[in-house]
């Protein structure tokens, strides 16, 4: 099946109905996240590259159309229209890596109504998950400034495709490497890894395992020291370090994966320093997240391997993201649903020293403000290719400028303002809807 079927059935049904009725005028949808998870102070925009690639390649293959005909009974006229359908629209979006807040469009898409409708599911799928992961990774970075972070999530994420997305999202947030070899190859990341406890257990003794690993991988020697007894494991690593030095090599690091990490790290650092191994790094892993990392930030741990809890965004496994119609055929539209009301019209987000302002696209922004939504797609073609390296630089710059209240792991709720023009339009549209629908 082609990528066009990476969608929900009701998207196809709506698109088919629009096509049948000739409802192909321009429509604008806005994708945003309604609220932050508890304790979070920001999001890091991510997932745009995958979304744009999908839009640029949108097409229904013959097997897709055969399935829609045979299983769902789509008529020939609709199938012919879908066969010719391509994405021909415009996309304005917040570039990946930028810090954003609730209620701010991450993306606004304008295209003929059937095309714009079909984009909903895939765009929400990609931007929601990757934004959650990138945001959590950024929180890990803020929890221990200056320490290296490595993505260890592949074995616990929900599918190997998600593993690649996580490797990219964490790289954007500033992670130094990933354990995911395929993601490293595809994205140009640094792949890294040590050994498992099973490797140590496979040898008659821990020291033999350490010596074998040092002999087989002399350029990348990091030894896992907690399989049996951590202090004893550190002492054996020190012995192997001496043997490596005699051969002109060096021990790069030791890894802690269990126990009282803080106390063990202090003890290990003391043993290593007394042995003259001050440059040997201490690497920690094992069910880490930003809160545990913050608790270890004052220890002599040099780097952290973060896996399960970041790859599935454990404390926020979903975000309340939505993709809402805001204009059709030049007419601004909105929902009035209780607790889910939306703001009409095409929008822009302005960043100011006093906070962000959401306004109308054609409305002048506040003096000195920076517009966040930029054109990334025109007439169905990508005009601003996304790279994770550029996104990483944007993320680092935005995190440096992040207000202290939003940097905290128990953050204050950010304030996002609405422009006067957007407020007026919202009141006008809501009044029209109430008169029309409620008499």
């Amino acid at each position: 099946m082609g990528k066009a079927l990476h969608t929900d059935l009701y998207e196809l049904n709506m698109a088919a109905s629009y096509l049948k009725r000739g409802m192909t005028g321009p429509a604008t949808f806005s994708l945003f996240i309604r609220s932050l998870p508890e304790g979070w102070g920001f999001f890091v925009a991510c997932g745009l590259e995958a979304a744009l690639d999908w839009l640029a390649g949108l097409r229904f293959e013959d097997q897709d159309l055969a399935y829609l005909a045979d299983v769902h009974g789509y008529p020939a006229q609709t199938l012919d229209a879908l066969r010719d359908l391509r994405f021909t629209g415009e996309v304005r979006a917040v570039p990946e890596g930028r810090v954003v807040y609730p209620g701010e469009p991450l993306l606004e898409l304008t295209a003929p109504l059937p095309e714009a409708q079909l984009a909903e599911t895939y765009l929400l799928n990609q931007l929601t998950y990757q934004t959650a992961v990138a945001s959590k990774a950024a929180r890990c970075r803020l929890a221990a400034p200056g320490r290296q972070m490595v993505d260890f999530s592949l074995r616990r994420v929900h599918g190997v495709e998600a593993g690649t997305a996580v490797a990219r999202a964490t790289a954007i947030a500033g992670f130094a490497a990933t354990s995911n070899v395929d993601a490293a190859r595809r994205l140009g990341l640094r792949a890294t890894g040590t050994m498992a406890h099973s490797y140590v257990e496979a040898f008659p003794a821990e020291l033999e395992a350490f010596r074998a690993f040092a002999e087989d991988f002399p350029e990348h020697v990091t030894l896992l020291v907690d399989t049996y007894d951590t202090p004893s494991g550190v002492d054996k690593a020190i012995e192997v370090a001496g043997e490596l030095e005699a051969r002109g090599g060096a021990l790069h690091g030791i890894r802690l994966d269990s126990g009282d990490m803080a106390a063990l790290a202090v003890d290990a650092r003391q043993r290593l320093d007394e042995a003259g191994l001050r440059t040997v790094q201490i690497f920690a892993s094992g069910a880490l997240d930003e809160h545990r990392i913050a608790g270890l930030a004052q220890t002599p741990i040099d780097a952290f391997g973060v896996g399960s809890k970041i790859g599935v965004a454990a404390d926020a496994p979903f975000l309340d993201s939505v993709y809402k119609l805001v204009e059709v055929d030049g007419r601004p539209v909105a929902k009035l649903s209780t607790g889910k009301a939306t703001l009409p019209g095409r929008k822009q987000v302005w960043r100011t020293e006093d906070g962000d302002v959401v306004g109308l696209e054609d409305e002048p922004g506040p003096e000195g403000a920076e517009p966040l939504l930029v054109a990334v797609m025109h007439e169905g073609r990508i005009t601003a290719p996304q790279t994770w390296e550029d996104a990483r630089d944007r993320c680092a710059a935005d995190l440096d400028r992040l207000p202290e209240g939003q940097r905290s792991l128990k953050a204050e709720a950010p304030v996002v303002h609405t422009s006067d023009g957007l407020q007026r339009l919202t009141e006008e549209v809501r009044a029209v809807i109430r008169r029309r629908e409620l008499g």
Side-chain angles (χ1 to χ4, degrees), residues 107-129:
L107 174 152
E108 284 205 334
L109 181 153
T110 301
L113 181 56
E115 300 172 23
Q117 188 70 66
L118 282 172
E120 177 176 10
T121 299
Y122 195 86
L123 268 57
L124 282 171
N125 176 279
Q126 294 298 310
L127 271 72
T128 305
Y129 175 60

Side-chain angles (χ1 to χ4, degrees), residues 336 427-439:
L336 302 187
E427 292 168 2
E428 292 168 3
V429 170
R430 289 177 178 175
V432 169
I433 294 171
R434 290 190 184 99
R435 286 196 301 271
R436 184 185 72 224
E437 303 298 334
L438 305 177

Side-chain angles (χ1 to χ4, degrees), residues 20-341:
K20 178 181 178 180
R21 298 174 182 281
M23 297 173 64
T24 57
T28 298
F29 283 79
S30 183
L31 191 156
F32 59 94
I33 304 171
R34 286 196 178 105
S35 60
L36 282 158
E38 184 176 357
W40 289 28
F42 63 91
F43 296 116
V44 173
C46 195
L48 181 60
E49 179 189 57
L52 297 183
D53 286 346
W54 185 84
L55 288 171
L58 178 60
R59 66 194 65 238
F60 288 84
E61 306 293 346
D62 289 342
Q63 63 266 36
D64 302 332
L65 299 170
Y67 168 79
L68 293 176
D70 296 343
V71 177
H72 296 283
Y74 277 33
Q77 182 180 4
T78 297
L79 297 174
D80 289 341
L82 291 177
R83 180 178 287 107
D84 295 335
L85 188 144
R86 303 290 186 271
F87 182 74
T88 62
E90 323 289 322
V91 178
R92 294 179 304 117
V94 176
E96 290 186 289
R98 296 303 307 262
V99 163
V100 292
Y101 300 112
E104 300 181 345
L106 276 73
L107 174 152
E108 284 205 334
L109 181 153
T110 301
L113 181 56
E115 300 172 23
Q117 188 70 66
L118 282 172
E120 177 176 10
T121 299
Y122 195 86
L123 268 57
L124 282 171
N125 176 279
Q126 294 298 310
L127 271 72
T128 305
Y129 175 60
Q130 294 189 45
T131 293
V133 172
S135 305
K136 193 162 181 66
R139 284 166 57 81
C140 290
R141 289 288 314 286
L142 294 176
R147 311 298 175 85
Q148 282 200 347
M149 304 284 163
V150 176
D151 161 41
F152 268 16
S153 66
L154 179 58
R155 62 183 56 195
R156 297 280 167 71
V157 295
H158 301 160
V160 292
E161 297 86 355
T164 300
V166 171
R168 185 177 184 277
T170 55
I172 286 173
F175 275 38
T178 178
S179 66
N180 185 336
V181 180
D182 182 63
R185 177 183 63 86
R186 292 169 59 183
L187 300 171
L189 302 173
R190 179 166 67 90
T192 189
T194 57
M195 60 173 66
H197 296 104
S198 57
Y199 183 86
V200 176
E201 294 167 336
F203 287 81
E206 186 174 50
L207 184 57
E208 289 186 45
F210 287 179
R211 282 174 171 158
F213 194 84
E215 180 179 342
D216 293 344
F217 301 97
E219 303 299 322
H220 310 283
V221 185
T222 297
L223 302 175
L224 178 61
V225 297
D226 72 334
T227 302
Y228 304 121
D229 175 77
T230 301
S232 174
V234 174
D235 289 341
K236 294 184 181 76
I238 291 170
E239 184 175 347
V240 171
E243 296 169 0
L244 275 166
E245 186 175 355
R247 300 196 299 268
L251 176 65
H252 177 71
I254 63 169
R255 178 158 72 99
L256 305 174
D257 192 58
S258 61
D260 185 341
M261 292 278 192
L264 291 171
V266 170
D267 179 73
R269 185 76 270 163
Q270 182 177 349
R271 291 169 187 266
L272 291 167
D273 290 351
E274 288 175 353
L277 300 173
R278 297 182 181 277
T279 61
V280 172
Q281 293 193 339
I282 299 175
F283 188 89
S285 60
L288 299 177
D289 63 6
E290 64 267 43
H291 300 287
R292 286 199 68 198
I293 289 170
L296 296 169
Q298 303 306 313
T299 71
I301 294 173
D302 299 288
F304 297 90
V306 191
S308 305
K309 294 189 177 182
I310 194 168
V312 299
D315 60 330
F318 69 92
L319 302 177
D320 190 11
S321 60
V322 291
Y323 179 86
K324 295 301 179 184
L325 183 66
V326 297
E327 183 180 286
V328 61
D329 283 326
R331 174 173 58 90
V333 299
K335 282 177 57 177
L336 302 187
S337 309
T338 302
K340 295 185 176 182

